[in-house]
Amino acid sequence: MMRVAFILMALAAPASATPAAAATLEAGLPPAEAVEAALDGHPAVLAARARLEAARAEARALRAGPHEFEASVSFMRRRIDGEGEYSEYDAALTRAIRLPGKAALDRRMGAAGVRMATDMAEDARHQAAVQLNDLWWDWLGAAAEARVLDAASSIAGAALDAARQRVALRDAAPLEGDQAEIALGTARAAARAAHGRAGAARASLAAQFPALPLPAQAPPLPDPALPPEGLDHLAQLVVERSHEIGAAAAEAERMGARAERARHDRLADPSIGVRGFSERGGEERGVGLLLSVPLGGAHRRARADEAGASANAAQADLAARRHDIAALAARDRALAEAALAAWREAGAAAQAAQSAARRMAKGHALGGIDLTDRLYAERQAQEAALAEASARTEALRAIARIRIDSHTLWMHAEDRHEAMPSPTTLAR
């Protein structure tokens, strides 16, 4: 019985463990290489990267411009009374020309679109990492609770054996055996339910990230540890490395260029070309130049107003996104700090509950404690161990979350625009 109690104490993992015995930050997490592959193969990440390729193609199209050469040819047979029939033709080749300043604005829009799509692709990977983190700790937490309840079932089984022996020796009433049997049945039912939750959590993780190899059994929960960078620095990195802010800034830049482009477009691009014709069977021939200029009106004014309002909205969205990420950084820091404190408190409570349960078990074995009091102490110890396992899980989840959001875990910590062409390069 003492051996089983020791197992339950080990699962509770008291917070008084020495720093030398504390697990590293990577303990309890899947291998980084496996996570990288799983994230890169996630459908949301693949879709975002496809949209990045679309943005690059759009940038090339904007760089080339919207205008193409236009050719027109006409041929006819004309009959003149008293003169006869003549073959006549008319041919023209024209092309619109972007006015000065418009091409540069188009290149700015394309470059900003690529920057936005790049950040969106990285943010899709970030969101997949957040999902993987939650599902991973759901599994490990449920498995840890199942182990606690398995140990509690073993303790309840040992208590039932002891109660039956005492009843057989007429040292205890039959009611004591009934109480012990009820306790065992309750513990086993709770353990089965916990195993079901662990299995469901593992199935969800495997379904969402099929490329991530999972062990048959969930790893044990390590001791939570503060990252060496410190929570304040990590919270600062959450804002500095936010791809959501980067994407919103790029969108604001794109919409600003689009608004300026719309204002320039109130003066429409002219079309120039050449025209050749032949009339009266070649008796009359000619070659000339063509020039046409669309006259802008209410439509172009309205489009310019719409683009300007959209640019203002994008700037407001950028400010809102900065507020959101600042709030997220503060939330991550507060949750990690509070979760660590809660785990330490839960660990101390679990240790005290285990000590009380051991004393009650000894007292019951010596006949000085009723079974009811012993079972009550065991239930308290079980609840405290479950609370410690839950607090431990949430502390590990919160620490991993702020590391993911700060790009110090599973994410690309380098400059988010390092691998993409600069706006100046795209503008050439």
Side-chain angles (χ1 to χ4, degrees):
M1 181 171 60
M2 289 296 295
R3 180 182 63 83
V4 177
F6 177 79
I7 293 175
L8 190 55
M9 289 181 64
L11 288 169
S16 59
T18 62
T24 63
L25 284 173
E26 306 306 322
L29 291 171
E33 299 79 6
V35 173
E36 293 275 342
L39 294 179
D40 289 339
H42 194 274
V45 177
L46 296 177
R49 288 178 177 170
R51 284 189 283 271
L52 172 57
E53 293 303 315
R56 286 171 174 160
E58 175 67 13
R60 293 195 302 271
L62 287 169
R63 181 178 178 180
H67 305 311
E68 305 283 353
F69 283 100
E70 182 177 349
S72 63
V73 177
S74 65
F75 176 82
M76 67 182 67
R77 291 283 294 176
R78 183 161 61 168
R79 179 183 179 85
I80 301 177
D81 292 339
E83 295 187 17
E85 294 184 354
Y86 301 96
S87 296
E88 300 183 344
Y89 71 85
D90 189 294
L93 180 65
T94 60
R95 188 183 190 278
I97 304 298
R98 279 184 291 185
L99 292 176
K102 292 186 178 182
L105 290 171
D106 287 342
R107 290 192 291 270
R108 275 180 56 192
M109 282 191 290
V114 172
R115 290 201 306 277
M116 181 183 71
T118 300
D119 275 303
M120 292 300 291
E122 287 299 319
D123 189 61
R125 194 175 186 279
H126 171 242
Q127 296 302 325
V130 170
Q131 183 185 26
L132 191 154
N133 180 63
D134 284 337
L135 292 174
W136 179 262
W137 294 117
D138 286 348
W139 178 38
L140 266 63
E145 292 181 3
R147 286 193 288 269
V148 169
L149 292 169
D150 283 341
S153 298
S154 298
I155 292 174
L160 177 59
D161 292 340
R164 284 174 176 171
Q165 290 177 2
R166 294 184 63 181
V167 170
L169 295 172
R170 297 176 182 266
D171 192 29
L175 178 61
E176 188 168 302
D178 294 339
Q179 290 175 327
E181 191 166 354
I182 292 171
L184 176 59
T186 302
R188 285 178 174 173
R192 287 186 180 276
H195 280 288
R197 290 193 298 273
R202 187 185 189 280
S204 295
L205 178 60
Q208 288 291 338
F209 297 92
L212 181 67
L214 299 177
Q217 300 296 328
L221 293 172
D223 284 347
L226 275 174
E229 302 91 341
L231 295 178
D232 288 337
H233 182 61
L234 289 181
Q236 181 181 350
L237 291 180
V238 170
V239 178
E240 291 177 359
R241 295 175 174 176
S242 170
H243 290 293
E244 292 184 65
I245 292 178
E251 175 66 359
E253 166 68 15
R254 189 180 74 86
M255 296 304 290
R258 176 175 172 266
E260 191 174 351
R261 179 68 163 83
R263 289 192 295 271
H264 278 65
D265 215 31
R266 291 187 61 181
L267 180 59
D269 293 334
S271 296
I272 61 174
V274 294
R275 173 178 177 263
F277 66 91
S278 174
E279 296 181 357
R280 297 178 63 86
E283 292 181 9
E284 297 181 20
R285 299 179 182 179
V287 176
L289 296 176
L290 297 176
L291 174 65
S292 64
V293 180
L295 300 179
H299 175 76
R300 291 178 183 269
R301 288 196 300 271
R303 296 298 294 177
D305 292 342
E306 179 272 331
S310 296
N312 293 336
Q315 287 291 340
D317 287 340
L318 172 58
R321 185 59 59 205
R322 285 180 174 141
H323 292 166
D324 291 343
I325 299 304
L328 173 66
R331 170 187 173 276
D332 282 353
R333 186 196 180 285
L335 284 179
E337 191 173 46
L340 274 170
W343 168 66
R344 294 188 184 103
E345 294 292 340
Q351 192 173 28
Q354 290 300 324
S355 297
R358 287 200 308 273
R359 288 193 296 270
M360 285 293 188
K362 289 180 181 179
H364 177 255
L366 296 174
I369 298 294
D370 291 339
L371 178 63
T372 301
D373 293 332
R374 177 189 174 180
L375 293 177
Y376 177 72
E378 296 290 358
R379 283 198 302 273
Q380 281 189 315
Q382 172 189 317
E383 291 171 0
L386 287 173
E388 192 279 338
S390 177
R392 179 187 293 263
T393 302
E394 293 311 310
L396 291 166
R397 186 198 308 271
I399 292 170
R401 175 62 188 268
I402 194 171
R403 292 180 65 204
I404 291 171
D405 288 346
S406 63
H407 291 204
T408 57
L409 175 66
W410 298 344
M411 300 304 298
H412 301 146
E414 66 272 11
D415 181 7
R416 60 178 171 262
H417 300 313
E418 183 179 8
M420 61 168 290
S422 66
T424 305
T425 301
L426 286 174
R428 290 196 190 112

